[in-house]
Amino acid sequence: TVSREVMDLEREYLLQNYARYPLVLHRGEGPRVWDVEGKAYLDFISGIGVNALGYEHPRITRVIQEQARLLIHSSNLYYHEYQGPLARHIAKISGLQRSFFCNSGTEAIEGALKMIHSHGHQRSAEKFEIISLDNSFHGRTMGALSVTGQPKYRTDFEPLIPGVRFVTGNDLSQLEAAFSERTAGIVIEWIQGEGGIFPITAEYATRARELADRYDALLVFDEIQCGVGRVGTYFGYQLSDPVIMPDVMVAAKPLACGLPLGVITANERAAASIGAGMHGSTFGGSALACRVALEFFEILDELL
């Protein structure tokens, strides 16, 4: 069968790092997908949180077709028409000022970690420690693994970045004990969503904000899993009343409806940690991805 041929070819030539289901997808429409044999499935995975608008959304398809005829990629050596408007819209809905566009959530975390380290180094050579939470998941690159609080992901790749301290979520005494003058930043998922649903309390996030201010550290909210409309607000931290603002917020997943796009959004204090030449991306923030993201946010605005 066609399915068998596809699977056998991958088994021969691809790294065997994915434990795939024996399902070869061919097309999608709305919430459903069809395999190469024509069998339909109701998709509850949504591309691991990416296809928030379903498959073949008419407005997204139209924008992709229009932009593909104009400009797909140009590099960040030049301007194009869509990064500025997209960053402005994210600033409006997030309450933060400046954005950097990359390709994925783990890339966004990597950039946020660089901001934390740079922020700390500007103050002291000893200010490099990062606090993260047990049971967290922030990505699979070496930096992201360093702040991921699950040994099953970390063990095979150690040693990782030094200076990371893990604490139990919602345990105020552990949080307070972990902070010191060496702390450069803390990374928190508002809702831990890998392997369950574990919300952070407003009391805990408020205390993290207070301690970050006291010790001149950056508070980073990882909204990759729980953000961008999934909880009924634009971002998870907006569930609190009053809203507890981070210094840095990272997001990805549905931003460009299946095209690679991640974002780091920061206030002016955190943004000052990255100057010219300190960070970059070849593909991040392409004209195609940014224009699709603008259309996505227009649709999301109508829903929220």
Side-chain angles (χ1 to χ4, degrees):
T1 66
V2 174
S3 292
R4 178 59 57 188
E5 291 175 0
V6 170
M7 290 186 284
D8 286 347
L9 193 63
E10 288 206 3
R11 291 189 184 106
E12 184 174 357
Y13 290 104
L14 267 64
L15 285 179
Q16 295 302 292
N17 57 306
Y18 294 119
R20 298 190 197 273
Y21 293 95
L23 173 62
V24 180
L25 298 178
H26 175 62
R27 69 180 182 91
E29 182 180 342
R32 290 178 170 78
V33 291
W34 284 260
D35 66 16
V36 290
E37 269 80 41
K39 185 176 180 180
Y41 300 83
L42 187 59
D43 180 18
F44 287 97
I45 300 296
S46 67
I48 313 183
V50 169
N51 301 317
L53 300 181
Y55 296 89
E56 201 186 0
H57 191 286
R59 288 171 61 175
I60 299 301
T61 300
R62 174 185 56 80
V63 165
I64 289 174
Q65 290 173 335
E66 289 178 1
Q67 189 59 36
R69 295 188 185 102
L70 296 173
L71 186 69
I72 294 175
H73 170 76
S74 61
S75 93
N76 285 301
L77 294 173
Y78 315 106
Y79 295 89
H80 63 66
E81 300 167 73
Y82 307 108
Q83 278 198 23
L86 180 57
R88 179 177 59 194
H89 192 79
I90 292 172
K92 176 182 176 182
I93 63 175
S94 71
L96 300 167
Q97 283 74 47
R98 296 186 182 273
S99 287
F100 171 85
F101 295 113
C102 53
N103 303 286
S104 65
T106 195
E107 283 187 33
I109 283 288
E110 291 289 324
L113 296 182
K114 289 176 73 173
M115 295 176 86
I116 288 173
H117 271 198
S118 176
H119 173 86
H121 288 170
Q122 290 172 8
R123 284 143 181 85
S124 165
E126 300 300 313
K127 194 174 184 65
F128 64 87
E129 289 188 353
I130 300 173
I131 299 170
S132 188
L133 273 56
D134 292 329
N135 197 50
S136 58
F137 181 82
H138 297 290
R140 296 179 182 271
T141 51
M142 294 294 280
L145 280 177
S146 298
V147 293
T148 289
Q150 299 192 55
K152 67 179 180 181
Y153 293 118
R154 298 165 50 87
T155 303
D156 290 333
F157 305 102
E158 292 175 337
L160 298 168
I161 294 175
V164 179
R165 306 185 66 178
F166 290 100
V167 297
T168 301
N170 294 329
D171 187 319
L172 293 177
S173 61
Q174 282 194 33
L175 180 68
E176 292 165 354
F179 267 91
S180 74
E181 295 296 339
R182 295 167 63 92
T183 304
I186 177 170
V187 184
I188 296 175
E189 296 165 282
W190 193 266
I191 301 173
Q192 292 182 335
E194 205 274 339
I197 301 174
F198 303 101
I200 295 302
T201 65
E203 180 186 20
Y204 188 85
T206 298
R207 192 65 180 136
R209 176 70 275 169
E210 292 169 352
L211 290 164
D213 290 339
R214 178 190 302 177
Y215 290 98
D216 194 8
L218 297 183
L219 174 60
V220 178
F221 284 158
D222 179 344
E223 296 276 353
I224 297 162
Q225 292 273 14
C226 67
V228 199
R230 296 190 73 187
V231 293
T233 55
Y234 287 105
F235 304 106
Y237 66 87
Q238 294 168 335
L239 291 170
S240 66
D241 184 16
V243 172
I244 301 157
M245 290 296 296
D247 298 297
V248 182
M249 181 271 296
V250 297
K253 295 292 184 186
L255 285 177
C257 301
L259 297 175
L261 186 65
V263 66
I264 308 165
T265 302
N267 60 23
E268 295 287 5
R269 172 169 165 263
S273 65
I274 299 295
M278 291 177 65
H279 196 52
S281 173
T282 297
F283 293 101
S286 72
L288 180 62
C290 287
R291 184 171 177 194
V292 170
L294 281 167
E295 189 70 22
F296 164 75
F297 273 120
E298 282 194 18
I299 297 168
L300 185 61
D301 292 345
E302 295 167 6
L303 298 173
L304 296 179

